Amino acid sequence: MTSIGLPDNIGQLTFAVPKGRILDEALPVMARAGVEPDADFHNPKSRALAFACTRPDMRMIRVRAFDVATFVAHGAAQVGIVGSDVIEEFDYADLYAPVDLGIGLCRLSVARMANDAHAAGSVSHLRVATKYPNLTRRHFEAAGVQAECVKLNGAMELAPSLGLARQIVDLVSTGTTLRENGLVESAVILEISARLIVNRTALKTDPRVAALVDAFRREAEVRCNSAVAAA
């Protein structure tokens, strides 16, 4: 089968997956739940964004993680996989996250320069570089600090050393990138895992969406039980 274009095919479900760190972990989980893209999805030379699936009633789109939530919330896709950081940042009313997949584990953290002697002091205003302005503002507001968010989509760790922002809020896994750039983690805002997300209207009106939720829930439960048994 070959890649397909974005124009809607009546009756097809659209499953949105994120580019980047979660996808490699998500694909085996999806396969066990009965969702598999065609071979062109795995072609590194392909520039397509939409792909056929082994199920003829489904297609898959591969977009940026933040866009997965937007496509599903607005009904352009009915189902997707994305990190809980994205879900919390947007807080879309039409988005439902019924299954924690237990993959893509990391955390959203505040970090500062290791030599910032005044970072722990009381401040009323702070400039913070992040691509999570909503979560960042809420975190600092709870501490009585007004956060001026500078929106960056990458190279976050450079912001403090170049004077763009005093602190950053970004995803952290091992912390190695922070340390290599002279930063230390000072607070954890959110523990993150990948979630199955669905459009609320689609869940109510299309039984295939409910069936997918059940399939992914069973897969997650089997994997969890296997991990417990092996421990």
Side-chain angles (χ1 to χ4, degrees):
M1 300 176 74
T2 58
S3 61
I4 56 178
L6 282 172
D8 191 32
N9 290 345
I10 295 175
Q12 273 197 321
L13 288 176
T14 299
F15 197 116
V17 295
K19 300 176 181 178
R21 63 184 182 87
I22 293 177
L23 186 55
D24 288 344
E25 289 184 75
L27 285 171
V29 172
M30 292 163 58
R32 289 191 293 270
V35 178
E36 295 184 80
D38 73 354
D40 195 44
F41 183 89
H42 304 285
N43 180 0
K45 296 181 179 179
S46 174
R47 301 179 67 86
L49 298 176
F51 302 86
C53 290
T54 54
R55 281 179 53 165
D57 67 336
M58 181 183 294
R59 63 175 173 176
M60 190 174 297
I61 61 171
R62 181 170 56 198
V63 296
R64 293 180 183 274
F66 276 34
D67 293 336
V68 169
T70 302
F71 274 99
V72 175
H74 291 280
Q78 293 73 45
V79 190
I81 290 176
V82 77
S84 53
D85 53 321
V86 177
I87 298 169
E88 294 293 334
E89 174 66 17
F90 284 100
D91 196 24
Y92 284 124
D94 292 325
L95 202 65
Y96 178 46
V99 185
D100 185 340
L101 300 175
I103 59 174
L105 304 179
C106 61
R107 57 195 180 273
L108 183 68
S109 294
V110 183
R112 58 174 174 81
M113 293 295 294
N115 60 3
D116 186 351
H118 302 289
S122 177
V123 295
S124 60
H125 180 273
L126 195 65
R127 184 182 293 170
V128 184
T130 184
K131 65 176 180 179
Y132 300 92
N134 295 324
L135 284 169
T136 298
R137 290 191 189 99
R138 291 202 293 268
H139 170 78
F140 282 101
E141 282 174 4
V145 177
Q146 180 184 358
E148 176 190 348
C149 294
V150 178
K151 185 72 179 296
L152 290 179
N153 291 314
M156 210 75 61
E157 295 82 5
L158 291 175
S161 63
L162 296 179
L164 179 62
R166 186 167 175 180
Q167 298 188 17
I168 68 170
V169 169
D170 200 13
L171 299 180
V172 177
S173 181
T174 64
T176 300
T177 304
L178 293 180
R179 291 189 294 272
E180 290 179 347
N181 287 277
L183 302 173
V184 293
E185 196 173 355
S186 57
V188 175
I189 296 177
L190 181 68
E191 296 288 350
I192 297 165
S193 61
R195 310 293 173 91
L196 181 78
I197 60 173
V198 298
N199 178 273
R200 289 185 183 274
T201 300
L203 179 61
K204 294 176 182 177
T205 59
D206 193 327
R208 295 175 299 174
V209 176
L212 280 171
V213 171
D214 289 341
F216 275 90
R217 185 175 284 125
R218 287 193 301 270
E219 192 283 334
E221 290 173 351
V222 168
R223 192 157 28 92
C224 180
N225 291 338
S226 296
V228 171

